[in-house]
Amino acid sequence: MVEINFNHRKPTDVIALRRLDELKSVHIDAKKSLVTIGAGLPYQQMEHGEIAQYIPALAQAARTVGSPQIRSAGSIGGNLGTCSPAGDALPVLSALDATVNLQSADASRSVSVHDFMVGVKRNARLPGEIIVSTTLPIVSGWQGYAKVGVRNAMVISVASCCLVVDRTNGTITVALGAVGPTIIRCRETESWLASQIDLKTKATVSPNLLQEFGDRIANESKPIDDHRSTAAYRRHAVCVLARRLLTRANSQ
Amino acid sequence: MNPNSEIYNLRVNGKMHEVRDSWVGESLLYVLRERLNLPGTKGACEQGECGSCTVIMDGQAVCSCLVMAATAIDSDICTVESLSVDGTLTEVQDAFVTEGGVQCGFCTPGLVVAIEHLLSQNPDPSEIEVKEAISGNICRCTGYGRIFEAVDKAVSIRKAKTS
């Protein structure tokens, strides 16, 4: 809509996807521990209730999107469609290895979010496909999302981070937003941390380990200088955010 | 009529309005102001940043600049024009005037709609809830202090009326 307002795009045909109730559905499969969220479900409806209960990191990310006006309209489908590295829901989808469900007139397919996000504002959606929903696992363990912006409300992320602890499998996943061409999964740091502590138990992270964790996360980021911030600040910010989230995970 | 034009109906402030010879891809803001002669809703940033175009759509505050007209068909739209009945200001509008919550006035309709929406759901909001509710409405004149005072005043007047 913004692109039309600014005359950057002049489509001749439009489809009002927001009127499709099917795109706003939430399906919780307790047996398979999966939540499928319609691509058009407004962020406002993720802040509380079932989604906040099963995927708290997503509720936290939803809470940081824009303003009440934006959260009553904006959705994961929009974040995925735009595929900006600063999209608030995207680090959560990445850290949870979400699946993106797409539908065209004659076929449907599911793609890993890692394959879906191709680059800055580029994704793997084909012409004629719409993003129907995303499927996320219900994970046992602490999870959280944090972001840095120039103020609390109504800001696009300067840097963001999602951290998920999976106590069952003894893994930790970390995804970074706004510090690379697309969302960055810190796989090297993840396996390093898993080799240092037993994540199945509530092993505490020593100050030295926490320090190195942040440094390693910062090393995996690939930030740039732009109109919102500098690469140096962003590298520092993801280091602080990741340490903060790991500290929170530990105190639970 | 140009080939992309259609005739459609929009329900605004409880009344059906026929929109003629226009494209359904326009923003709701543009339709309200330029086609339905309802200029109370202001257009400023046209990218959802400033909140001056806030309207209520199916019970939710939204930026009308981000709503495609085609999306708004079959919805209930309430604009700032629907608030005052017979020229009598609501408590919120009146408090904006008496507490000096208006300077240039450009953000005022959006703020008033956002605050009326908040109070309709939460008649006695805390300070942080008021801040949250208007976090998407940008005012560059007042520094917000007098706007918060106006909200406090409107809340206490409404409380006195209902008790």
Side-chain angles (χ1 to χ4, degrees):
Chain A
M1 198 69 236
V2 174
E3 290 176 19
I4 292 174
N5 288 345
F6 288 172
N7 269 327
H8 290 164
R9 193 185 286 210
K10 291 178 183 171
T12 52
D13 301 306
V14 292
I15 301 173
L17 290 175
R18 274 202 228 167
R19 295 177 63 194
L20 295 177
D21 286 339
E22 292 86 341
L23 295 184
K24 293 180 191 159
S25 67
V26 177
H27 179 69
I28 293 163
D29 186 335
K31 272 188 192 158
K32 291 182 183 163
S33 289
L34 293 172
V35 178
T36 299
I37 300 170
L41 186 79
Y43 281 118
Q44 179 203 58
Q45 293 181 40
M46 299 175 206
E47 291 176 52
H48 309 285
E50 282 182 316
I51 292 176
Q53 182 191 337
Y54 290 114
I55 311 170
L58 185 60
Q60 289 172 15
R63 177 72 179 65
T64 73
V65 174
S67 61
Q69 287 93 321
I70 304 293
R71 294 198 287 278
S72 62
S75 63
I76 291 180
N79 262 183
L80 284 168
T82 306
C83 221
S84 157
D88 285 308
L90 301 180
V92 182
L93 267 52
S94 173
L96 285 166
D97 297 314
T99 303
V100 181
N101 306 309
L102 299 145
Q103 175 83 49
S104 66
D106 36 44
S108 62
R109 65 182 179 122
S110 296
V111 185
S112 156
V113 72
H114 308 298
D115 298 328
F116 185 79
M117 301 186 294
V118 177
V120 182
K121 299 200 173 179
R122 286 190 307 124
N123 62 41
R125 189 183 65 83
L126 299 172
E129 277 185 329
I130 62 167
I131 304 164
V132 176
S133 60
T134 178
T135 303
L136 303 122
I138 301 170
V139 177
S140 164
W142 189 89
Q143 55 182 248
Y145 173 86
K147 91 179 192 189
V148 171
V150 288
R151 64 184 188 117
N152 277 339
M154 204 61 239
V155 287
I156 292 169
S157 288
V158 160
S160 63
C161 182
C162 179
L163 184 146
V164 176
V165 181
D166 184 336
R167 292 280 179 210
T168 316
N169 295 316
T171 58
I172 189 165
T173 55
V174 183
L176 307 177
V179 288
T182 185
I183 305 303
I184 292 175
R185 258 293 284 277
C186 303
R187 295 188 193 275
E188 285 174 26
T189 309
E190 289 171 9
S191 49
W192 166 80
L193 189 68
S195 72
Q196 300 293 313
I197 52 173
D198 181 6
L199 293 159
K200 286 185 185 176
T201 63
K202 292 194 176 181
T204 39
V205 180
S206 68
N208 284 346
L209 210 59
L210 191 65
Q211 189 76 21
E212 188 173 349
F213 174 72
D215 294 342
R216 282 173 177 265
I217 292 288
N219 279 338
E220 288 201 62
S221 70
K222 298 181 184 70
I224 54 163
D225 291 331
D226 69 6
H227 61 291
R228 271 189 211 111
S229 188
T230 62
Y233 179 79
R234 286 183 159 119
R235 201 171 286 117
H236 177 68
V238 289
C239 169
V240 172
L241 289 174
R243 280 183 193 149
R244 201 173 282 172
L245 289 172
L246 187 59
T247 307
R248 285 179 198 166
N250 248 285
S251 58
Q252 296 300 307
Chain B
M1 226 169 103
N2 82 56
N4 289 318
S5 295
E6 293 182 38
I7 298 173
Y8 60 93
N9 291 300
L10 278 187
R11 193 160 55 246
V12 183
N13 300 334
K15 200 176 131 200
M16 289 306 280
H17 294 261
E18 191 178 69
V19 185
R20 300 187 70 89
D21 192 17
S22 70
W23 177 55
V24 292
E26 291 173 346
S27 74
L28 174 62
L29 170 67
Y30 187 85
V31 175
L32 291 171
R33 290 182 57 86
E34 306 298 334
R35 308 223 180 258
L36 300 182
N37 199 24
L38 291 167
T41 307
K42 302 302 177 203
C45 74
E46 308 227 19
Q47 52 181 314
E49 294 267 349
C50 76
S52 47
C53 68
T54 301
V55 300
I56 305 302
M57 184 168 147
D58 291 334
Q60 300 294 340
V62 295
C63 292
S64 59
C65 74
L66 297 183
V67 175
M68 189 166 64
T71 303
I73 296 170
D74 294 333
S75 290
D76 267 314
I77 319 282
C78 288
T79 71
V80 69
E81 282 94 347
S82 70
L83 296 175
S84 134
V85 181
D86 300 329
T88 309
L89 297 182
T90 67
E91 293 86 352
V92 173
Q93 289 171 317
D94 190 61
F96 261 73
V97 175
T98 57
E99 297 304 303
V102 180
Q103 283 188 31
C104 90
F106 207 83
C107 68
T108 310
L111 274 162
V112 167
V113 171
I115 291 164
E116 290 282 6
H117 177 64
L118 168 71
L119 299 186
S120 71
Q121 301 186 321
N122 181 357
D124 193 9
S126 66
E127 189 187 339
I128 195 80
E129 286 169 331
V130 177
K131 283 186 177 172
E132 175 74 49
I134 63 168
S135 61
N137 294 79
I138 291 176
C139 171
R140 296 296 83 166
C141 304
T142 63
Y144 300 96
R146 286 165 186 254
I147 292 171
F148 294 129
E149 284 167 28
V151 178
D152 287 346
K153 187 178 176 188
V155 167
S156 48
I157 289 175
R158 281 194 185 166
K159 262 200 236 168
K161 278 186 183 171
T162 51
S163 63

